[in-house]
Amino acid sequence: MSDAAMPTLSELLRTFRARAGLTQAALAEQAGLSEQAISVLERGTRSRPRIDTIRALTKALDLTAAEAEQFLTVARGKGKIGKHRDDPPKESPPAADQVLTPWQLPPAARDFTGRAAQVDAILSVLRDPAAAVGLVTVTGMGGIGKTTLAVHAAHQLADSYPGGQLYLNLRGYGPGAPMSPGDGQRHLLRSLGFDVTSIPDDVDEAAAVLRSQLAGRRVLMLLDNAADVAQVLPLLPGSAGAAAIITSRGSLVNLPGARQILLDALSESESVELLAGVIGPTRVASEPDATRILSEYSGRLPLAIRLVGGRLAARPTWPIQHFVDLLQDEERRLDSLGSDETGVRASIASSVRFLETSDRELDRQAAAALPPLTVPDGSDLTTEVVAALLELPRRRADAIVERLADLNLLESVAPSRYRFHDLIRAYGREVADLTLAQAERDRALARVVRFYTQAGWVCHALTHPTSPRLPLATVGTSALLPTFSGREASLRWLDAEQRNLLDRVRQAQQSSLADDVLLAETALAFFGYHESRRRWQEMRDLGAGAIELAQRHNRPATAAWLQHDSAIPDAENGDPRAAIARILVALEMFRAIDDLFGQARCCSSLAYLLGLESRIDEALEYARAALTLSRTIQDKTLEGVSLTAIGGLYDRVGDFERADAAFAEGIALATQANDTRAMFKRYVNAGFAHLQVGRYADAVEMALQALDVMVRAGDATFQAESHHLLALAYAAQGLYDTAVGHIDSGLRTARTADDPEREGRLYIELARINASIGRRSDATEQLNTALRLLRNASAVYFADARQLLEKLDRGESVDYHFTTYSI
């Protein structure tokens, strides 16, 4: 065959592949090459492959000896079309001057799943290599799929970079020591065909040589597993046409001009799809619930899901549920996710070792901090809690958590708030169990609980500045606490920490701290928060066992107040009889220690509760006793509370003149003391007492006064309560439009105050009105909304909404009425 008639390499390869009945992907798999490598050879973009590539293709295509010789001859460029025998031979350029076309990308993952937005982001930056030097960084924790994403995107960019693709593992986080910039430069220059002996030793000089070699060439670099920006900068191209994708567990935000992509865990659907790609969709479809749970236990981490999938694929008789059962034990979970250097534990450990072996003290402190930071339960950690746990100044604690976040060992979910990925928490607890004694872990947890107790007392002082509980504080104040601008600021801070607090107190109750009197004080400190936010279930949970604990440690006053406060959830949940029984016990406890204030408070509470039970004579007796005691000890706050209780009882027996006098005197005491909260409460209590006995105009007047107090104070929570009372007063008179207007105002202020309980109760009131005037579908919708909002509120409100909804479902008629606990 003449040279002119000899086919090109791309033609030969397509012919042989078609004869073998193989797709490009199938041939790539059999030959151990990337699909991209086959594609560029068949397109003719690359015509001089390496000899090992030729051999691999010859074997995979099962060529005869003659065909193999022909294939090798063409691949070596010895028979090109257009070359004639009469043409004079050309001198081959020196090896150092030959321009090689590197095709170094690893194979793309066949089961690549999701990440569509991130792929699009990379392609949008790097599709046009002529525009500028394109730089994209892909960061995230170990095992999150950074390399898989980068390789997938790089393969899609092959047509845009005909000068080839360079791949370099910089070993930033192992295995082994990180690659030095000089070694990286030598590797890249060697891949570009540059004479190794001519590469300067100086990093800056070598960087200039590398940029010169890349100038004018459309080459894509994939710099994988980078340690930091300093390692990467000497390896980057300097002119338009070339581009780089850099992956790292650490933050690369200070890399100039780079598009930053931070990878998070896969979504549930993506996790399920990835597992289906490994073990087959049929197996996944047969156990959908177990598959979803498995994705959660795997932390929706691609590495973990592939490891789980690999084990399941190798054990086709195992139900997925069996693997779920294995992963339920958090202490053994990492064992099920790979025990060698490719496993999840090894991936996390390599990031920690990077910090441990660093020359920077901050890095070593961050590595040492990770195990103790995983000790407390709870969903997240604030910087203040970290500082308390580690016994460090807040600024140093902030630097440590930010360093852990830089390496994606912690996730920054909000300013000063961080969260561990489940598998990193599991790893940290493993290390803590091995390196920290149980007593040391318990002391760390105690520091966290003490910090919360300090925060509770600060909030208590802001919400109830005259509370008799305040002198019982023993923990002092903490310099780590934020400086709260006022009552609402402290409540909002504790709102964000409430779930964490309960988790950590429960954890303490299961440890050696179970007999620490600190837990009793914590329950007492949070009275102000719980009462202000009407968190009755949390009050009950935090107070569990606290009374007995205080008694064992000879804290009788603390025990007595905890006994009194234990009645509040019962009263608010519609069980006044249980509340009365608890208060009677508290009264005897206060009498035993000759605490007149406590006795007076118990008497006023009994007056209120007995009134709910219509035991008016007994209620009046306790109310008068409370008034006498409060005047004996000259406590104006308690005197005002007692007067308010007496006013409500006089309303009940029809003695309106004496009721009004008692209410007025109580309000005057609050006004003289400039106690805004007391003024509001006394106006509202008077208004609701009037409402219950049909004094509608007087009820409206009291409610308007309460609203005015809170508008001037700027308190959205209590404004919503005032609008609620006004809505009740107008609806009771049949003035539904006016009532609905106040409900709308109440809903707006409740949302502003982030008060879902008040919002839900207002929806119940709106539903009552709509049900009574025939708007039953509107009422049904509003009750369903209320049920969603009241899921974590007092059971009595939830039951109220459910009862009304059932009436509507049965088609029963509904007349408007309010309940004794409506406000």
Side-chain angles (χ1 to χ4, degrees):
M1 182 182 291
S2 69
D3 285 348
M6 186 172 287
T8 64
L9 178 65
S10 63
E11 291 170 342
L12 265 183
L13 182 56
R14 278 197 299 271
T15 299
F16 290 144
R17 179 174 62 80
R19 185 186 68 185
L22 297 173
T23 64
Q24 288 185 349
L27 176 57
E29 185 174 359
Q30 288 195 25
L33 303 171
S34 70
E35 187 175 345
Q36 181 203 34
I38 305 299
S39 175
V40 295
L41 286 172
E42 289 198 357
R43 290 200 307 270
T45 308
R46 181 184 183 192
S47 58
R48 299 285 295 275
R50 294 191 302 268
I51 189 65
D52 56 347
T53 300
I54 300 169
R55 289 170 180 157
L57 288 170
T58 298
K59 182 177 179 181
L61 292 166
D62 196 21
L63 301 183
T64 65
E67 289 169 340
E69 183 179 357
Q70 180 190 22
F71 191 49
L72 178 61
T73 300
V74 172
R76 287 180 169 178
K78 295 183 178 179
K80 297 179 181 177
I81 295 175
K83 182 179 178 181
H84 300 286
R85 289 185 179 143
D86 296 335
D87 291 341
K90 294 183 179 179
E91 291 187 13
S92 297
D97 296 332
Q98 290 183 359
V99 179
L100 299 182
T101 304
W103 305 99
Q104 298 179 346
L105 288 180
R110 286 177 165 274
D111 57 6
F112 183 84
T113 302
R115 309 295 198 196
Q118 292 85 354
V119 172
D120 288 346
I122 296 174
L123 299 185
S124 68
V125 174
L126 304 183
R127 277 287 190 205
D128 183 8
V133 177
L135 297 178
V136 175
T137 68
V138 181
T139 58
M141 67 175 283
I144 202 71
K146 302 178 294 296
T147 300
T148 304
L149 169 66
V151 170
H152 178 82
H155 276 283
Q156 294 197 39
L157 290 164
D159 289 343
S160 299
Y161 294 90
Q165 288 92 44
L166 294 163
Y167 174 82
L168 184 58
N169 182 356
L170 296 174
R171 300 196 306 270
Y173 297 89
M179 182 180 288
S180 70
D183 285 344
Q185 290 167 333
R186 283 186 285 276
H187 181 102
L188 293 170
L189 285 167
R190 190 165 52 244
S191 298
L192 292 168
F194 192 81
D195 183 3
V196 177
T197 61
S198 301
I199 299 175
D201 291 331
D202 182 79
V203 170
D204 291 337
E205 290 181 17
V209 172
L210 178 59
R211 288 193 294 269
S212 298
Q213 289 295 306
L214 291 169
R217 300 184 64 176
R218 296 173 66 177
V219 173
L220 176 65
M221 287 183 175
L222 202 171
L223 302 177
D224 195 18
N225 197 13
D228 51 32
V229 170
Q231 186 189 29
V232 168
L233 279 174
L235 310 178
L236 296 178
S239 56
I245 303 173
I246 306 106
T247 75
S248 178
R249 298 184 194 182
S251 172
L252 299 176
V253 292
N254 53 343
L255 183 62
R259 170 69 181 273
Q260 306 286 332
I261 296 176
L262 175 61
L263 285 193
D264 199 354
L266 296 172
S267 67
E268 181 183 280
S269 61
E270 289 172 337
S271 302
V272 171
E273 183 182 348
L274 177 55
L275 187 61
V278 179
I279 67 173
T282 302
R283 200 167 170 191
V284 164
S286 67
E287 294 184 78
D289 293 338
T291 301
R292 285 192 292 270
I293 297 171
L294 190 63
S295 75
E296 290 303 313
Y297 284 167
S298 301
R300 302 203 307 274
L301 200 67
L303 171 61
I305 293 168
R306 285 193 171 94
L307 288 168
V308 166
R311 290 190 66 186
L312 283 170
R315 296 161 178 81
T317 60
W318 276 20
I320 296 175
Q321 182 61 48
H322 177 68
F323 214 103
V324 169
D325 295 339
L326 291 177
L327 293 177
Q328 279 182 338
D329 184 354
E330 184 181 286
E331 293 182 0
R332 297 179 54 196
R333 189 168 299 168
L334 292 178
D335 291 331
S336 300
L337 298 176
S339 56
D340 59 13
E341 288 303 313
T342 66
V344 173
R345 181 189 284 107
S347 175
I348 299 170
S350 63
S351 294
V352 177
R353 279 197 299 273
F354 177 84
L355 293 172
E356 289 173 336
T357 58
S358 170
D359 294 334
R360 299 175 63 197
E361 182 185 1
L362 175 61
D363 285 358
R364 296 192 298 275
Q365 278 189 316
L370 190 141
L373 289 182
T374 63
V375 167
D377 287 343
S379 62
D380 47 44
L381 291 162
T382 65
T383 304
E384 298 90 352
V385 169
V386 170
L389 192 151
L390 299 177
E391 296 183 286
L392 290 174
R394 190 186 188 283
R395 182 172 295 180
R396 193 60 177 175
D398 183 66
I400 285 172
V401 291
E402 278 295 300
R403 188 67 185 118
L404 290 171
D406 282 344
L407 268 70
N408 291 289
L409 290 167
L410 264 181
E411 177 189 4
S412 177
V413 294
S416 298
R417 188 171 293 277
Y418 301 85
R419 180 176 301 147
F420 279 113
H421 186 281
D422 288 347
L423 297 180
I424 294 179
R425 180 195 290 272
Y427 172 83
R429 285 189 167 180
E430 276 189 1
V431 177
D433 288 344
L434 292 171
T435 60
L436 302 176
Q438 183 64 51
E440 190 175 354
R441 281 176 275 157
D442 288 349
R443 284 194 296 272
L445 182 59
R447 290 194 291 272
V448 173
V449 175
R450 184 173 294 106
F451 172 75
Y452 282 130
T453 306
Q454 293 165 336
W457 282 125
V458 170
C459 178
H460 196 140
L462 290 168
T463 58
H464 297 71
T466 61
S467 172
R469 301 165 187 81
L470 291 171
L472 300 175
T474 67
V475 296
T477 58
S478 172
L480 298 175
L481 281 169
T483 302
F484 299 121
S485 59
R487 171 184 179 277
E488 189 60 30
S490 71
L491 289 170
R492 286 187 180 277
W493 191 87
L494 289 178
D495 284 341
E497 282 299 287
Q498 186 64 192
R499 188 75 262 155
N500 288 327
L501 166 70
L502 289 172
D503 286 343
R504 288 157 190 168
V505 168
R506 289 194 188 103
Q507 184 183 10
Q509 290 169 340
Q510 302 300 316
S511 73
S512 65
L513 302 175
D515 193 47
D516 194 325
V517 73
L518 173 65
L519 296 180
E521 185 169 335
T522 304
L524 191 64
F526 271 80
F527 169 83
Y529 172 77
H530 290 146
E531 199 271 346
S532 298
R533 286 297 197 233
R534 304 178 64 83
R535 301 253 188 180
W536 311 126
Q537 187 57 48
E538 286 92 334
M539 178 183 279
R540 176 173 283 161
D541 291 345
L542 206 60
I547 298 168
E548 295 79 6
L549 188 56
Q551 289 173 324
R552 286 201 303 274
H553 287 270
N554 195 28
R555 299 274 187 91
T558 296
W561 279 111
L562 287 169
Q563 177 66 36
H564 172 275
D565 298 346
S566 71
I568 298 175
D570 288 326
E572 294 294 335
N573 284 314
D575 191 357
R577 290 186 182 181
I580 289 169
R582 293 181 186 276
I583 295 291
L584 286 171
V585 173
L587 179 57
E588 292 306 314
M589 293 170 73
F590 282 119
R591 284 173 175 166
I593 59 175
D594 199 27
D595 186 329
L596 297 183
F597 189 99
Q599 294 173 47
R601 193 67 187 87
C602 285
C603 288
S604 66
S605 296
L606 285 167
Y608 168 74
L609 292 166
L610 289 164
L612 290 178
E613 290 285 278
S614 297
R615 296 160 63 179
I616 304 302
D617 291 342
E618 293 175 80
L620 269 171
E621 182 181 343
Y622 279 110
R624 292 179 183 130
L627 183 60
T628 300
L629 285 165
S630 63
R631 286 173 173 168
T632 298
I633 60 177
Q634 298 183 348
D635 189 296
K636 297 300 182 182
T637 299
L638 190 52
E639 183 179 355
V641 171
S642 303
L643 286 165
T644 301
I646 288 172
L649 292 167
Y650 279 136
D651 252 349
R652 297 279 297 278
V653 298
D655 192 342
F656 298 153
E657 183 177 345
R658 294 173 77 177
D660 290 347
F663 284 133
E665 190 175 354
I667 291 168
L669 288 173
T671 304
Q672 291 164 15
N674 197 29
D675 188 338
T676 301
R677 183 180 178 279
M679 289 167 61
F680 166 79
K681 282 294 184 185
R682 291 170 199 177
Y683 276 125
V684 165
N685 288 334
F688 193 60
H690 295 333
L691 178 62
Q692 289 177 292
V693 296
R695 298 177 62 184
Y696 300 132
D698 294 331
V700 168
E701 177 60 28
M702 291 292 104
L704 288 171
Q705 292 283 8
L707 180 60
D708 180 64
V709 168
M710 285 300 109
V711 168
R712 284 187 278 115
D715 191 310
T717 300
F718 288 145
Q719 287 179 46
E721 189 173 342
S722 304
H723 282 296
H724 195 163
L725 178 56
L726 284 164
L728 294 173
Y730 285 116
Q733 302 173 72
L735 301 173
Y736 296 134
D737 288 345
T738 307
V740 169
H742 282 290
I743 289 174
D744 289 342
S745 297
L747 287 170
R748 285 194 297 274
T749 50
R751 289 170 192 140
T752 299
D754 191 22
D755 187 353
E757 180 178 305
R758 180 64 60 183
E759 192 179 349
R761 293 171 65 189
L762 284 163
Y763 271 115
I764 293 175
E765 215 58 54
L766 185 57
R768 283 196 183 106
I769 292 171
N770 281 324
S772 68
I773 61 176
R775 297 176 180 169
R776 301 174 72 89
S777 61
D778 290 345
T780 297
E781 182 180 346
Q782 288 146 9
L783 288 169
N784 283 320
T785 300
L787 288 170
R788 287 195 299 273
L789 291 164
L790 295 170
R791 189 172 293 112
N792 297 316
S794 172
V796 70
Y797 308 129
F798 196 88
D800 201 20
R802 174 63 63 191
Q803 184 180 20
L804 182 54
L805 188 60
E806 288 172 355
K807 276 188 173 183
L808 292 172
D809 289 343
R810 292 193 299 266
E812 296 179 19
S813 61
V814 177
D815 295 325
Y816 178 79
H817 72 279
F818 58 86
T819 62
T820 55
Y821 48 80
S822 288
I823 196 61

